[in-house]
Amino acid sequence: MFGHYNAAGAPQPSMVGTSKLVRVVGGKRQASEQARARDPAELVRGLIAAEPWAERALLQAETAHVERMLTRMLGFCAELDDLTQEVFIRAFARITELREPESLRAWLSSIAVFVAREAIRRKRRRRWLVFLPAETRPEQPAGAASFEARAALRVFYEVLDGFGADERIAFTLRFVEGLELTEVAHACQVSVATIKRRLKRASDEFYLRGRARAELVEWFEEGSRWRRIES
Amino acid sequence: MASNRELSTLGRILAEVQDDALQNRARPPVSATIAAVYRARARRERTRRNLSRLCYGVGAAAIAAAVMLFVLRPRALEFRVGEAAGLGQLGVLIAAPNTGVRNLSFSDGSRFLLRAGAQARVVSSNEHGARVVIERGVVRADVVPRPKNDWSLFGGPFEIHVTGTSFESSWDPQRQQLFVNMQEGHVLVSAECLAGTRALSTGQSATFSCGPDSTPASPQQPAPAATPPPEPMPAPVPASPPASPRVDPPPSLSAPLSVAPPPRAPSWRELSALGDYAGAIAAAEHEGFERLCETLSTAELLELASTARLAGHAERASFGYAAVRRRFAGSESAASAAFHLGQLAFDVAHDYRTARRFFAAYLAECRNCALAPEALGRRMEAEQGQGDVELARASARLYLERYPNGAHARLAQSLKQP
């Protein structure tokens, strides 16, 4: 271990050897953490104990999912990062409520539903305060989608802005995220019958309102029309 | 009504657009998100602690205030008789010995001295004073002057009202006479048998009796109780004249005017992004629609033409798509423009021959052919529309081979059968 001596003749530890040891130890630790993160029960145990490795692993694994869920329900919004953080803040605080570690993702989805519902209701309340500046939907991030597809997406959520929060969430989870009825019901923490009723109301409303929008009318007349055009 | 299948198809396509945009989105690194979560958690914990502290503080302050109110609450005056250790009791007869005196000491410093043989009772007390009944004999009273003092000595029917005084008073129950001798201050003596209230001041003395042989007052007659003069009515305040409306002077013509530059008008692209397609085309016309068609890039020109189509300006849309095909011939954008020209010919002009030609052009020119199912299906429709049954049937067979579950599958099935 000792590689050289200082001016007084005292042996000094080899820094190269030490750094190698640290790297080896760090690598082993990282591999161990990754293995633990792959085990749902171990991950949940780490979250309950508020261990940094578990919280980091959860964020790495589930941030994209939470962002996608929120985007499905809300469309593109300026508060996406804040709302995503809110989901994880609540998840860390309420992790002890999770009964089945294997249901971690579904459980996060239900938290995202509640966060989205609050955001929708907050936005609707702001609309009553006419002296506040109107919120404008942020420009969609650039992608390869065609102009028609992006226009249809924008108008789709403009139509949904007129829906109640419960109907909007059920509609987007079912038809945009593609969840089954039981999955939608679990995420919203209501019965399947309730989800069916909400979907019926939302579908009828979407048909009535969407027909008035030029960006969607072609879709109503013929079905699937917009595709992602790869540049 | 839109079927669930159609809604699912639309939703899936929109989800693809969203996922593509999310992938391209600049997401904060995990470490930054973790730090933000920790900060938010710490902030909430601080708020919770501050709220708890506030609640505790408010509670403690309320308790302290209650204690202070209790401690500082107005208390009735207490008194001691002579040298007794305990407090005197209300209503108990206090008697001076025949050869001595008996002191009454009150908690505010006031003192009553019962001379030899005198008897008295303290019948009540409050924070402002006490009621002392002279049963017999002479009592000297030294009342400490205080605001709101309210002392009364009673001798028979007479009441001596005291506010801050030193005097002697005696009551003779057999002769039914009250004697008051003032050393300092003043008192008011009242009784039913007296006509009004009698005031006595420093140096005055008087004897009062309700019987027929009442002793007249001392040579210094007590002054009648003075009634306060009425307060003068406030002089009426003249009403202020109504304020004349303020008139701003006209701006000086000699002063230079600073005019803010007019806000920049939104561009056609900005208006299009907001969904104001009519406004976008108007803005494009203002810029020079045809000039734009010669100068815009591929994507922008396609967007301009599609904006015109959504605004219902079919002629301008056709002009723009044609410019794409001319300027960027052979490109994927040119193929897309062909598809849209086919749509305009079919949906607006009902020119099925031209529509078929453009849909076929798309199918021939496209590379990734994302719109191929739609183009083939609409080509089949256009062939049916122009009455060319054989062509339509051939297209139907081709469509079902490639897209058995496509949007035009039902039409293709009906056309395929002779």
Side-chain angles (χ1 to χ4, degrees), chain A residues 163-185:
Chain A
F163 284 23
D166 292 334
E167 285 74 18
R168 174 179 179 147
I169 288 170
F171 188 78
T172 51
L173 291 181
R174 178 78 180 101
F175 295 119
V176 185
E177 178 62 10
L179 296 183
E180 297 297 329
L181 289 175
T182 51
E183 293 172 315
V184 177

Side-chain angles (χ1 to χ4, degrees), chain A residues 55 81 86 144 154 215, chain B residues 20 25 38 44 277 306 408:
Chain A
E55 293 174 338
D81 288 337
E86 181 63 25
R154 176 177 52 77
E215 299 85 344
Chain B
D20 181 61
R25 180 176 169 270
Y38 286 168
R44 291 188 182 191
Y277 305 122
S306 293
H408 290 82

Side-chain angles (χ1 to χ4, degrees), chain A residues 50-52 55-56 59-60 63-64 67-68 71-72 75-76 80-81 85-86 88-90 92 140-145 147-158 171 174-177 203-204 206-208 214-216 218-231, chain B residues 1-22 24-28 30 32-34 36-38 40-41 44 269 272-277 302-303 306-307 309-311 321 332 336 339-340 343 347 368 370-371 373-374 377-378 381 407-408:
Chain A
E51 294 180 8
E55 293 174 338
R56 199 167 45 244
L59 280 164
Q60 284 171 337
T63 295
E67 278 186 353
R68 191 180 73 248
T71 304
R72 298 288 192 252
F76 290 107
L80 182 59
D81 288 337
Q85 288 170 10
E86 181 63 25
F88 286 106
I89 290 171
R90 296 190 189 190
F92 290 158
Q140 294 170 190
F147 169 77
E148 286 84 358
R150 285 184 281 119
L153 183 65
R154 176 177 52 77
V155 169
F156 178 81
Y157 282 96
E158 283 180 8
F171 188 78
R174 178 78 180 101
F175 295 119
V176 185
E177 178 62 10
S203 300
D204 293 346
F206 184 79
Y207 181 70
L208 287 172
E215 299 85 344
L216 295 177
E218 290 180 345
W219 174 83
F220 277 114
E221 286 175 354
E222 207 167 322
S224 156
R225 184 58 58 88
W226 313 119
R227 285 280 187 266
R228 181 164 67 105
I229 299 176
E230 295 175 4
S231 57
Chain B
M1 295 291 163
S3 69
N4 282 356
R5 186 179 171 203
E6 289 167 347
L7 288 172
S8 294
T9 304
L10 172 64
R12 192 172 62 247
I13 293 165
L14 296 180
E16 288 178 8
V17 178
Q18 281 184 336
D19 291 343
D20 181 61
L22 284 172
N24 292 321
R25 180 176 169 270
R27 181 184 298 141
V30 169
T33 304
I34 289 179
V37 168
Y38 286 168
R41 187 194 293 174
R44 291 188 182 191
R269 291 201 76 192
S272 176
L274 293 172
D276 183 5
Y277 305 122
L302 263 181
E303 192 171 319
S306 293
T307 300
R309 185 166 61 83
L310 290 172
Y321 288 130
E332 186 67 29
S336 297
F339 178 87
H340 293 306
Q343 283 182 305
D347 297 329
N368 63 38
L371 294 170
E374 287 76 21
R378 299 210 69 179
E381 279 190 86
H408 290 82

Side-chain angles (χ1 to χ4, degrees), chain A residues 31-103:
Chain A
S32 167
E33 288 176 357
Q34 285 173 353
R36 294 168 78 185
R38 281 193 288 272
D39 179 359
E42 190 62 26
L43 178 61
V44 170
R45 261 196 294 276
L47 290 171
I48 291 173
E51 294 180 8
W53 72 265
E55 293 174 338
R56 199 167 45 244
L58 182 70
L59 280 164
Q60 284 171 337
E62 301 298 337
T63 295
H65 168 73
V66 170
E67 278 186 353
R68 191 180 73 248
M69 291 292 289
L70 291 171
T71 304
R72 298 288 192 252
M73 292 182 279
L74 303 173
F76 290 107
C77 62
E79 303 89 8
L80 182 59
D81 288 337
D82 292 339
L83 295 174
T84 303
Q85 288 170 10
E86 181 63 25
V87 171
F88 286 106
I89 290 171
R90 296 190 189 190
F92 290 158
R94 295 163 50 187
I95 189 64
T96 52
E97 298 175 9
L98 178 62
R99 293 284 169 261
E100 299 171 16
E102 291 75 17
S103 307

Side-chain angles (χ1 to χ4, degrees), chain B residues 239-326:
Chain B
S240 56
S244 56
R246 176 167 164 244
V247 177
D248 291 329
S252 168
L253 293 177
S254 60
L257 294 173
S258 60
V259 179
R264 181 186 66 83
S267 68
W268 71 266
R269 291 201 76 192
E270 290 167 340
L271 291 168
S272 176
L274 293 172
D276 183 5
Y277 305 122
I281 295 305
E285 295 287 359
H286 185 74
E287 283 185 64
F289 190 92
E290 292 168 14
R291 181 185 66 79
L292 288 172
C293 288
E294 296 302 320
T295 55
L296 288 177
S297 67
T298 316
E300 288 175 335
L301 186 50
L302 263 181
E303 192 171 319
L304 176 63
S306 293
T307 300
R309 185 166 61 83
L310 290 172
H313 293 280
E315 191 180 329
R316 278 316 203 187
S318 296
F319 191 94
Y321 288 130
V324 172
R325 285 187 64 74
R326 175 171 48 78

Side-chain angles (χ1 to χ4, degrees), chain B residues 211-234:
Chain B
D213 55 347
S214 63
T215 305
S218 66
Q220 286 192 331
Q221 294 288 333
T227 56
E231 290 184 4
M233 292 292 291

